[in-house]
Structures are given as C-alpha cells and as structure tokens.
C-alpha cells in the first residue's frame, strides 16, 4: 500500500496518468486496456494476499491480485464451510471483477459482486489511504460487517469509476449449502414468457431460487429451412407463426432452469412450490425433474455434469462456486467458429425492465438489425435475471481478417439502436428509450455514459466536478466510466 502511495505521488509530480488493474483479465470489456493512450498500467496482481476468510461471519478480505482460483483453493485446503460466487472465467479477481460491476451465478445476495462487497481500502489521488464503512472506525473489528459506516458512503465511486486505487476489499460469502437442486420448467407459447418472468421475479426476490437460466427448446429447429426463413424476415415471426412452429414440432417456446440452494428437504419443497406456481400461472407449463447434489460435489461429478452446451439440464461449475476456464471451449463452439477458435468477443448488456414483454421487444430490435452489419456475425444471447435487472448478452464473433471493423460497427450500432425510442411505449421525456449498457469496454464507455443523460447530463457534471476536486492532475484512470478529468477532457469521444 505504501508503494502504491509512492507511485501516486510520483504520478502527481509529473502528471503521468495511471490505469489500475487487479488481475487485468477483463476480456469482453477491453482486457487490461486503458481509456487513454499513454497511461502507465498500475498492475496490482502481485498484491495477492488473502487476509481473512471468516466462516463464522461469512466473509473474505482480499488484496486485488487474489484470483477466484486462489480464494477457492484457500477455502478448500482449510475445509472452510463458505462458498465464493464467481464469474464464468475463474482467472480474474474478486476485486477487479467487482470494481467492474461483475456478476456470478448463485443466490441474488452474492452474485452482484459489487453489491456483495463489504468494506474497501482505497489509495486516493492525493496519496491518502481511506477505508469505507466500519473500516473508518479505528480498531472497530466490524469492518466487514456493515459496509455503510456512518454518513455518505463513497464506495459506489470506486466501482466503474476512477476516484481511487482499491488495495483491499471485503466480500460476503454464502455459507456452504447442504445440497443443490436443479429442475427445469418449460412453457408452450411465445407470450408465455410474460407470466414466466413474473413468476421468476417472485421466486427470485423471495430468495427461493438462485440465478434462473433461460433457454429455448426452439433451438432444435435451427436446421429447419422454413423456420429460418420466418426468423430472417423483417420483424421476425409473428407470435402466431412462432407458436405454430412450436406446436407442429411438439416443442415449447421457452424453458428455464431453476437452481435451489439449501437443505435438501427445503430445496425439494421449494421446487414443489415453484412447479405449482407455474402450473397455476401458465397453462400447459411442463416441469422436468432434475437432480439433487449433496455438497460438496466430487471432482468426478463436476466433470460429468459439465458437458456443454450451456444452458443444459446439467448445472455449471460457477453455480457451485467452483472457478473454471471451460467457458472458452464452449464459446468457440457457440460462436459457430469452424476450428473452435474465437477471434472477437464483445459483450453488449443493456439493462432492460424485468418483464417478459420488454424482453420480447428487445429481441425484435436485435432481430431487425440491418443484415449488412450483423450478417457477418453469429450471435447468441443469454438472458439473466440479475438482482434487480434483466439483461441480454450478445456475443459477436467473426473469422474474417478484418473482424474488428464489422465488430466495432455492429457494437456501435447496437448501442445506438437502444437509444432513440423506436419501440412503442418505450420513450419517455424527449423520446429516449430507457435502455442502457451496464458495463462496457473502454472504447465504447463514452458512448454508453452519454446515454445516461437525465437532467442535461447532471450525473456526468457531478462526476466530473468531483473528479476535478479530488484528482486535479487527472492521474487516476482518466476516462474510466466516461469520467474525464479537466486535463484530459478533450479526449472524450462523444
Ligand atoms: C467468455 C467470457 C465470459 C465472461 N463471463 C463473465 C461473467 O460471468 N461475469 C462477469 O462478471 N464477467 C464475465 N466476463 C468478463 C471478464 O472477463 C471478467 O469479469 C473478469 O473477471 C474481469 O477481469 P479481472 O477480474 O481480472 O478484473 P480487472 O481487469 O483487474 O479489473 C477490471 C477493471 O476494474 C478496474 N480496476 C481493477 N482493479 C482496480 C483497483 N484495484 N482499483 C481501481 N480500479 C480497479 C480497472 O478499470 C479494470 O480495467 C466474461 C468474459 C468472457 C470473455
């Protein structure tokens, strides 16, 4: 920490901008690249101490260079009865991932990683060290217990922001559950997505299920030329056409896997309850019995059940708090790449209201994107209900030598298409759609930030006023999150 302070002092003296990374594995969001060319990368991966894992109070306190693999191993080696919540790739860090508002797979209270943090230590642009929450109370012993402390809580400024260098961070951990159960529900018609999402919101917000994993059995018709033809027409298939294809092929329109964590008997009771809920609310809903796993699962069970594609009736390592890198293999296949390699991957994750009708509208926007931009790309989506928000992931990939150009165009176009109100009923105040990305690579961060324009960009002005006050030399990650210090503001892209 003293060395980080020393670096900050030097950077101030010479006005050298720094760009801080923890493990720097932010792939899909720019990897370790800074927003401003010419920054010195401040790489914290060698600050890799696990300072505490507490299984009585269910938290961990770590330095930035600790990876998910490190933390998992530490817990396993000591047989501690707590779980981590990790993203798809396990080589990143709880600190870096949370500071980019990353997400995982288990219960709602843990899978929004920034929300699950409990206390930070931060080196500020002036070289001072600040602790948030109870960490500001010297000798309190309750730093990881209550993250707000007293008075205004500045922790939000350090997530997707550039107001400090985080040198320690606490995370709430889920107590190791006794068992895990996964079961599947499917619903017959396209518009059944509406009552389906409503029921899932209820189950999720009541704390009865983990992350719902969406899919569609209609993928089975990918090779069907007639179905492909209606998918390709402008506006896509009507609901009636879609339902006819489903009924003719004895398929359901949507499916979702429900994950339950806890004692085996409460998991099974909650599954029974969920089945009843869907049967009452969606005529024709089917339930597929899944599998109950006693925790801990064995290595063999993890190997067997990880046969992709995902989502499948088999669960996935991160759903068990087990970090892995299997996602890369799957991605190559999902992207339709002939040799299993992927050359480009950029996430586009607009936050959309957690309602079936909104998801269907959003699907149409993407379905209608001009083929000139999207035809070069296979894209795949995955829906996630993550805490308060529902968003869709689109992966663009391309095997052409000039892949980056169409990727860039498609991404820009995707971002911009969500801004003007093209969807009936979506616009409010100036006809702007209320959709916005939750996370973005540096190259698009200004475009995304500029969409958050309420009050003639009141939020941006507030951020920049703060930035100029606490970092007058603009040395900390200029441009991150769309926040530019006065010294470098001319570099803002929009
Ligand atoms: C196929 C694939 C699947 C993915 N799945 C997921 C997923 O399920 N969930 C998910 O969340 N992400 C996912 N990602 C995105 C990303 O790869 C992970 O989030 C990864 O963990 C981020 O890298 P990192 O942990 O090394 O963070 P870093 O790269 O270290 O940090 C991210 C950013 O946070 C800031 N930062 C980092 N450390 C500090 C610090 N100490 N102080 C101040 N600022 C700091 C920097 O701006 C940095 O660029 C996926 C990516 C791909 C390609």
């Amino acid at each position: 920490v003293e060395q980080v302070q020393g670096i900050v002092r030097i950077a101030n003296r010479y006005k050298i901008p720094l760009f801080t990374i923890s493990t720097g594995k932010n792939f899909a969001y720019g990897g370790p690249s800074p927003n401003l060319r010419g920054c010195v990368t401040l790489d914290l991966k060698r600050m890799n101490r696990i300072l505490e894992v507490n299984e009585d109070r269910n938290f961990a306190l770590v330095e930035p260079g600790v990876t998910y693999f490190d933390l998992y191993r530490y817990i396993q080696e000591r047989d501690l009865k707590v779980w981590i919540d990790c993203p798809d790739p396990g080589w990143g860090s709880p600190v870096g991932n949370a500071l980019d508002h990353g997400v995982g797979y288990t219960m709602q209270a843990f899978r929004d990683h920034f929300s699950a943090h409990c206390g930070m230590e931060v080196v500020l642009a002036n070289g001072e060290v600040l602790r948030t929450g109870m960490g500001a109370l010297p000798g309190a012993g309750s730093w990881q217990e209550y993250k707000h402390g007293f008075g205004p809580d500045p922790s939000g400024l350090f997530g997707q922001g550039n107001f400090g260098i985080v040198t320690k961070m606490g995370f709430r951990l889920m107590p190791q559950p006794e068992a895990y159960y996964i079961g599947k529900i499917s619903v017959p018609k396209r518009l059944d997505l509406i009552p389906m999402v409503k029921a899932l919101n209820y189950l999720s917000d009541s704390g009865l299920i983990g992350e719902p994993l969406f899919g569609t059995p209609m993928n089975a018709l990918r090779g069907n030329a007639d179905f492909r033809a209606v998918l390709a027409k402008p506006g896509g298939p009507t609901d009636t056409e879609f339902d006819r294809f489903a009924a003719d092929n004895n398929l359901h329109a949507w499916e979702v896997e429900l994950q339950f964590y806890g004692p085996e008997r409460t998991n099974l009771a909650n599954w029974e309850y969920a089945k009843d809920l869907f049967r009452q609310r969606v005529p024709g809903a089917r339930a597929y019995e899944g599998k109950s796993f006693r925790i801990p699962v064995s290595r063999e069970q993890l190997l067997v059940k990880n046969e992709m594609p995902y989502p499948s009736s088999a669960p996935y390592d991160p759903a068990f708090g087990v970090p892995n890198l299997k996602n890369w293999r799957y991605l190559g296949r999902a992207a339709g790449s002939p040799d299993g390699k992927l050359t480009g991957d950029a996430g586009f994750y607009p936050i959309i209201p957690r309602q079936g009708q909104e998801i269907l509208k959003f699907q149409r926007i993407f379905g209608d994107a001009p083929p000139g931009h999207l035809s070069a790309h296979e894209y795949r989506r995955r829906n996630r209900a993550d805490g308060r928000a529902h968003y869709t992931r689109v992966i663009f990939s391309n095997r052409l030598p000039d892949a980056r150009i169409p990727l860039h165009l498609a991404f820009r176009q995707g971002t911009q298409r969500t801004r003007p109100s093209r969807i009936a009923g979506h616009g409010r105040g100036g006809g702007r759609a209320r959709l916005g990305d939750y996370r973005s690579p540096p190259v698009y961060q200004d475009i995304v930030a500029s969409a958050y324009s309420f009050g003639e960009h009141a939020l941006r002005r507030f951020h920049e006023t703060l930035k100029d006050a606490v970092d007058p030399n603009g040395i900390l990650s200029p441009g991150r999150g769309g926040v530019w210090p006065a010294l470098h503001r001319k570099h803002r892209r929009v």
Side-chain angles (χ1 to χ4, degrees), residues 19-35 42 44 64 66 68 86-105 111 113 122 158 160-168 316 318 327-328 330-331 342 345 349 382 384 391 393 395 438-439 442 445 477 480:
F19 186 78
T20 308
I21 56 171
S22 286
T23 37
K25 296 282 196 288
N26 206 9
F27 296 108
Y29 301 105
S33 35
N35 299 66
L42 181 55
L44 303 182
V66 172
Y68 286 101
C86 46
D88 289 318
W91 57 8
S93 49
V95 173
N97 178 280
L99 290 178
D100 213 34
H101 294 169
V103 292
Y105 281 87
R111 66 178 188 260
H113 296 158
V122 189
F158 307 114
Q160 283 187 7
N162 50 11
F163 292 91
I165 297 169
V166 176
T167 46
K168 291 182 185 64
Y316 179 50
N327 199 274
W328 303 107
Y330 145 72
L331 253 183
L342 187 73
D345 173 5
Y349 296 81
R382 176 172 120 193
R384 265 189 183 180
Y391 61 86
R393 173 184 188 169
I395 297 169
Y438 98 106
R439 190 173 173 189
Q445 280 174 15
S477 303
R480 170 140 167 87

Side-chain angles (χ1 to χ4, degrees), residues 419 449-463 494:
R419 284 166 59 201
S450 72
Y452 288 76
S453 62
F454 177 83
E456 303 297 326
H457 297 280
L459 184 61
R460 179 197 283 169
R461 275 195 305 282
F462 180 68
H463 285 154
V494 287

Side-chain angles (χ1 to χ4, degrees), residues 42-311:
L42 181 55
D43 182 346
L44 303 182
K45 77 162 78 67
R46 288 166 66 198
M47 290 180 76
N48 60 359
R49 288 179 306 159
I50 295 169
L51 300 166
E52 184 173 0
V53 176
N54 191 312
E55 63 170 347
D56 298 328
R57 289 155 59 199
N58 303 317
F59 70 79
L61 178 66
V62 295
E63 291 186 334
V66 172
T67 67
Y68 286 101
F69 284 118
D70 296 337
L71 188 54
Y72 177 75
R73 273 190 214 112
Y74 181 99
I75 290 169
Q76 294 303 307
E77 281 163 14
R78 287 160 185 78
D79 196 24
L80 302 173
K81 301 289 183 251
V82 282
W83 269 19
I84 62 169
D85 183 290
C86 46
D88 289 318
W91 57 8
S93 49
V95 173
N97 178 280
L99 290 178
D100 213 34
H101 294 169
V103 292
Y105 281 87
T106 65
M107 293 298 285
Q108 202 174 99
F110 307 96
R111 66 178 188 260
D112 173 344
H113 296 158
F114 190 78
S115 295
H117 95 267
C118 48
M120 289 181 210
E121 179 187 85
V122 189
V123 174
L124 302 173
N126 63 4
E128 281 182 354
V129 182
L130 167 153
R131 286 188 176 179
T132 64
M134 301 310 289
L137 192 67
S142 51
W143 190 10
Q144 273 59 62
E145 222 58 71
Y146 182 59
K147 69 179 165 192
H148 302 303
F150 186 76
D153 176 4
S155 33
L157 293 170
F158 307 114
Q160 283 187 7
N162 50 11
F163 292 91
I165 297 169
V166 176
T167 46
K168 291 182 185 64
M169 203 162 166
F171 293 95
R172 302 232 56 91
L173 301 177
M174 180 157 99
Q176 177 180 296
E178 204 178 288
Y180 168 94
Y181 183 82
I182 185 162
K184 185 154 70 182
I185 301 283
S186 70
V187 293
K189 297 190 171 163
R190 191 185 214 182
L191 294 183
D192 289 339
L193 185 67
I194 297 165
M196 182 186 219
V197 170
K198 201 170 157 191
L200 289 168
N201 289 349
Y202 176 77
L203 292 172
S204 212
D205 292 354
S206 306
L208 296 179
I209 55 169
E211 190 191 21
L213 307 167
F214 288 84
T216 170
M218 298 293 279
N219 273 336
L221 297 186
R222 272 186 176 173
N224 179 320
D226 294 340
F227 188 57
R228 286 184 81 93
V230 290
L231 281 183
K233 71 177 189 173
T238 63
D239 297 332
T240 318
E241 282 170 328
F242 192 89
D243 289 344
R244 198 179 323 118
F245 272 100
D248 289 351
N249 292 281
N250 195 25
L251 291 171
H252 271 194
W254 302 100
E255 64 187 17
V256 65
E257 288 177 307
L258 306 184
Q259 309 186 86
F260 300 85
Y261 297 87
E264 191 162 37
R265 53 198 166 140
T266 57
N267 283 352
L268 294 175
N270 286 336
W271 167 235
E272 289 305 316
Y273 176 78
K275 285 193 289 190
D276 285 347
L277 189 73
F278 278 99
R279 283 192 197 116
Q280 283 159 20
R281 293 195 180 182
V282 194
R286 283 184 203 144
Y288 306 81
E289 294 302 324
K291 201 170 168 190
S292 191
F293 293 84
R294 299 286 299 178
I295 305 297
V297 286
S298 66
R299 188 176 287 270
E300 290 68 37
Q301 279 176 303
L302 278 176
L303 287 174
V304 172
K305 71 183 178 44
N306 265 293
E307 271 314 301
M308 297 293 181
Y310 163 84

